[in-house]
Amino acid sequence: MSNRRELILNTARRLFWERGYDGVSMRDIAKELDFSVGNVTYYFKKKEDLMEASVLEQSKSYHLPATPASLAELNHLFWYICQGILERLYYFHHYDQMGQISRRVHELQQAFTKDLYLTLTGAFENLQESGDMEQDFYPGQNEYFVQGVMTAMTYGLPQSLRLDEDGRDEAMEFMMCIWSLVYPRLTEKGRNTFHTKIYKKKAQKDSSSAVKADGGGYAAQL
């Protein structure tokens, strides 16, 4: 990939995030880079092509980890997804729109949704077998639960996240939101594991407690 082409892609992602997809034109991107419009359209004929390349090329190396078999591995999966979303907020803030504009982006979304659904379903089944998660109270509960978690990941949480806003730890906020959905379904055994291996508290000088975990908020790997 040429340096100029990469500059165009990175600038487009930033402007899509800052101004919204509809608020950015090819001329805006060229002006931001001090390029002529022709220099931009040489690589991407129209904005739709630029958006598609921005999403697809950034997603090439993004693959879900193996299906978790423990709460620690589930935490790692959540952390991995969190980092992927934070790196692609421009995309998740326009998730439906970009999928409607580009057939290839839509196909990417469908494939990832399927992979994530199977990974989460398998993870929760593994945790039920290990006694860390409660069994279903009614037929299909696990399926609906997975759908709820995925909806929060794809729509709810990305819409609430703002990078570098008010000094908030966005990764911590994401992890707390996702675990708040999962925690009520944990057994006593699972909750003990959660508190001892994932959610760590350390006393502060003022005798109050504060959440601490490796890598800022929650442990990226345990």
Side-chain angles (χ1 to χ4, degrees):
M1 180 187 294
S2 71
N3 289 336
R4 179 167 290 186
R5 187 175 187 275
E6 187 172 7
L7 276 174
I8 293 170
L9 287 171
N10 288 335
T11 300
R13 292 176 183 127
R14 177 172 59 80
L15 292 181
F16 290 157
W17 160 242
E18 292 176 352
R19 306 179 189 177
Y21 178 77
D22 290 334
V24 178
S25 67
M26 296 290 270
R27 188 173 299 277
D28 292 331
I29 295 168
K31 182 179 180 180
E32 191 77 10
L33 290 167
D34 199 22
F35 289 171
S36 69
V37 175
N39 282 335
V40 177
T41 57
Y42 173 81
Y43 296 98
F44 307 100
K45 297 301 181 186
K46 54 186 184 296
K47 187 172 75 168
E48 291 82 358
D49 297 335
L50 176 52
M51 177 276 291
E52 182 178 89
S54 296
V55 174
L56 296 180
E57 293 185 16
Q58 200 173 33
S59 300
K60 282 181 179 178
S61 60
Y62 191 80
H63 303 286
L64 290 174
T67 301
S70 67
L71 287 174
E73 291 177 2
L74 181 65
N75 187 64
H76 174 62
L77 173 65
F78 289 163
W79 183 265
Y80 185 80
I81 293 171
C82 168
Q83 296 306 304
I85 290 175
L86 289 175
E87 291 168 3
R88 300 167 176 80
L89 277 177
Y90 75 94
Y91 165 61
F92 282 95
H93 274 250
H94 305 87
Y95 186 85
D96 286 341
Q97 181 182 19
M98 291 184 174
Q100 292 166 359
I101 292 171
S102 167
R103 176 184 57 80
R104 295 179 66 193
V105 170
H106 179 65
E107 291 173 350
L108 173 73
Q109 292 172 345
Q110 287 184 313
F112 182 76
T113 297
K114 179 180 178 180
D115 288 346
L116 181 57
Y117 177 83
L118 293 174
T119 299
L120 288 175
T121 298
F124 296 148
E125 289 175 350
N126 288 339
L127 293 175
Q128 287 176 323
E129 291 179 6
S130 67
D132 290 306
M133 181 172 280
E134 294 176 343
Q135 299 298 316
D136 289 2
F137 291 108
Y138 55 86
Q141 182 183 8
N142 210 30
E143 176 182 348
Y144 297 127
F145 179 59
V146 170
Q147 292 175 1
V149 171
M150 289 177 60
T151 299
M153 288 178 170
T154 306
Y155 295 102
L157 295 176
Q159 295 301 323
S160 69
L161 296 178
R162 295 290 186 276
L163 289 174
D164 299 324
E165 179 180 298
D166 300 328
R168 288 158 46 194
D169 186 334
E170 306 295 354
M172 166 67 93
E173 184 168 324
F174 179 97
M175 297 295 282
M176 289 181 69
C177 287
I178 292 299
W179 274 112
S180 72
L181 299 176
V182 176
Y183 185 84
R185 292 206 62 195
L186 298 182
T187 61
E188 182 177 357
K189 173 178 178 285
R191 294 183 183 190
N192 287 336
T193 299
F194 176 82
H195 285 290
T196 57
K197 293 189 175 181
I198 297 174
Y199 187 82
K200 303 174 182 178
K201 292 184 176 181
K202 288 192 175 181
Q204 299 295 301
K205 291 181 180 179
D206 60 0
S207 298
S208 64
S209 60
V211 178
K212 185 182 187 308
D214 309 336
Y218 281 79
Q221 299 184 44
L222 293 174

